[in-house]
Amino acid sequence: MARLAGIKPGMRVLDIGCAGDTSMLLAELVGPEGSVIGVDLNRAMLDLARTRTAAASLTGVSYVESDLTALRLDESVDALFGRLILLHLPEPVAAVRDLSRLVRPRGVVTFQELNATATRSAPSTPLVAKSVGWIVEAMRTAGLDPDLGEQVGSVLRRAGLSVNGAASAGPAGYAESAMPAHLEGTLRSLLPFALAHAEVAEAEIGIDTLAERTARELKAADATFWSAELGAAGARVP
């Protein structure tokens, strides 16, 4: 999806709200002639990102500790990239508008966000259906839009950018895949909100055995687990 948005070799890319994974991916896309600047406010996260980037022998990647509203660069970048960051911002349109000023004219702006309600099993299984409901309700309670991915194009347009495309992608798997553990990990990260506001007891969720029970249901139903989608849109700066 980053390639579809226009990120290509030789570019200088700004990766906002990074944890290292996306900056390393972008470094591979832009190659040795390009560069990536990863920005985050969490110092511990940036230290981990630097360690992992060095271990991967990736060059051309630097990390900056900064609040997005205070971010300044010595020169414009060719592309602005963000994954799972807009949902944490109180005014995403204003943030995109401000950050786009760091991108050169006709440069690329692209963001990727979740479509959480796309999570399902086919055929439907009870535990997956319940878990998705708990996750969506917990996200809403936490003030997060569970389906911001399908709205990224609209956010970019309202920020004054010319949108040139959108796409979505999501992993899928079976009982033996990583999908049951992925479901458990997602719900575990939102557990306090689910317990407080989703009208469910901790014993009903059974977070420590959720992956195992989900796998059993998937196997019994010969079901495919479709994870949340990443919805993305790409745009150009005027």
Side-chain angles (χ1 to χ4, degrees):
M1 291 193 292
R3 288 193 187 98
L4 286 173
I7 293 178
K8 57 187 179 182
M11 279 187 163
R12 184 172 187 246
V13 181
L14 177 62
D15 179 17
I16 63 168
C18 71
D21 298 90
T22 50
S23 296
M24 294 167 69
L25 172 64
L26 291 167
E28 294 179 358
L29 294 180
V30 301
E33 301 303 316
S35 61
V36 179
I37 306 166
V39 180
D40 201 283
L41 192 57
N42 188 321
R43 181 174 298 180
M45 192 71 74
L46 290 175
D47 288 342
L48 178 60
R50 290 186 181 101
T51 299
R52 295 178 60 217
T53 301
S57 300
L58 287 171
T59 59
V61 183
S62 59
Y63 294 99
V64 176
E65 181 183 346
S66 176
D67 185 285
L68 295 181
T69 59
L71 180 62
R72 300 291 183 272
L73 299 177
D74 56 356
E75 61 179 302
S76 298
V77 295
D78 300 305
L80 168 66
F81 177 93
R83 178 184 289 174
L84 305 182
I85 182 65
L86 294 181
L87 80 167
H88 296 293
L89 302 179
E91 298 182 16
V93 173
V96 171
R97 185 183 298 116
D98 290 343
L99 289 165
S100 296
R101 293 172 182 151
L102 302 173
V103 183
R104 65 168 176 79
R106 301 305 302 159
V108 172
V109 177
T110 182
F111 286 87
Q112 301 176 358
E113 298 291 333
L114 280 180
N115 292 325
T117 60
T119 310
R120 66 202 184 278
S121 61
S124 179
T125 55
L127 196 50
V128 170
K130 287 182 180 179
S131 296
V132 173
W134 296 330
I135 288 169
V136 169
E137 182 62 27
M139 290 183 71
R140 288 178 174 148
T141 299
L144 307 177
D145 188 333
D147 288 327
L148 187 57
E150 62 190 21
Q151 304 167 53
V152 173
S154 176
V155 170
L156 299 184
R157 279 191 294 272
R158 284 185 284 146
L161 304 176
S162 176
V163 176
N164 51 30
S168 66
Y174 304 98
E176 301 81 9
S177 73
M179 292 296 99
H182 175 65
L183 178 68
E184 179 183 301
T186 301
L187 186 52
R188 188 184 294 275
S189 70
L190 292 164
L191 192 59
F193 296 100
L195 294 176
H197 301 282
E199 298 183 357
V200 60
E202 189 168 3
E204 182 180 357
I205 294 177
I207 193 66
D208 292 331
T209 61
L210 182 65
E212 178 185 346
R213 289 180 289 125
T214 299
R216 284 203 303 266
E217 283 194 359
L218 292 173
K219 188 169 185 177
D222 191 23
T224 304
F225 182 104
W226 296 89
S227 185
E229 296 174 344
L230 272 179
R236 293 280 179 174
V237 173

